[in-house]
Amino acid sequence: MVTLLLDRTRLEVELSPLERAVSFRRDNLHIAREAIVKVQLTDDAWTWLRGVGSPGTHVPLVLAAGTWKSASGNDFVLIRRHKPSVVIDLEGAEFQRLVLTTRHGLALAQALRLDASSELAEVTDIAATGAIPVAEPSGTPGRKRKPSPRPA
C-alpha cells in the first residue's frame, strides 16, 4: 500500500519499487496541497474507475495501477483487491483524481484539516498529534417507535 506524506505545501504519494513498476511511474507523485479539492473514503474503489488504463496494469478485481484516461481527464489509480481506499479530487494538477488503496485515508482527511509542519511526515503521525473535533450524533436516524398500547 502507498505511503502518504504531507507537509504545509504538498502531499507526496510514495510508491514502492513494485508499485512504480506496475503503474509505469518513475517517481513518486507530488501534489500541491492547494490542488486538493475533496477527499473521500471508500470501501470499494473499483466503482471509482473511469476510462481506460494507459499506461498501466489491470487485472480485474485484483489490481489496477497507473494512469487512467477518460473524457474528463487523467486519473492516477493504485487499487488492490477490495480494501479501504481514498479518492482525492484535484484541480490544476497533473491528474484530475487519485484513487489509492490505503488504510490511512481517515488519517489523511484529518491531517489535511491541521497545520502540518514544514517537513514531510506520514499522515498517521500528523493526525495523531492534533485533536480533531468529532461531532456527536444528534439522534438515531430511522423510524420512530410508536408507543405500545397500554392495557385498560
Side-chain angles (χ1 to χ4, degrees):
M1 290 191 198
V2 297
T3 301
L4 302 173
L5 304 172
L6 184 69
D7 69 5
R8 288 184 187 178
T9 60
R10 67 184 169 145
L11 169 68
E12 183 174 336
V13 179
E14 190 174 274
L15 304 172
S16 70
L18 179 61
E19 291 167 339
R20 288 183 187 166
V22 296
S23 65
F24 294 90
R25 237 9 241 174
R26 291 185 184 179
D27 54 356
N28 295 333
L29 285 116
H30 301 277
I31 308 297
R33 195 168 175 166
E34 58 269 0
I36 299 172
V37 177
K38 183 170 39 172
V39 176
Q40 301 174 72
L41 305 177
T42 182
D43 288 332
D44 188 9
W46 294 98
T47 61
W48 290 91
L49 282 180
R50 58 185 181 183
V52 294
S54 174
T57 303
H58 184 220
V59 179
L61 301 178
V62 177
L63 175 72
T67 302
W68 286 71
K69 296 182 179 184
S70 69
S72 59
N74 294 340
D75 298 345
F76 181 80
V77 174
L78 190 51
I79 303 172
R80 294 183 180 175
R81 303 201 182 267
H82 287 284
K83 296 186 178 186
S85 302
V86 64
V87 179
I88 305 169
D89 290 328
L90 305 170
E91 192 172 280
E94 178 183 359
F95 298 103
Q96 301 293 314
R97 180 184 287 168
L98 306 177
V99 183
L100 308 168
T101 296
T102 179
R103 59 181 164 260
H104 303 301
L106 181 60
L108 172 64
Q110 291 174 339
L112 285 170
R113 293 183 187 173
L114 300 172
D115 288 329
S117 68
S118 58
E119 298 177 9
L120 284 172
E122 285 197 42
V123 294
T124 53
D125 295 338
I126 296 170
T129 60
I132 303 293
V134 177
E136 292 288 327
S138 59
T140 306
R143 290 190 328 201
K144 292 184 179 180
R145 299 177 75 179
K146 293 182 181 180
S148 59
R150 299 191 183 223

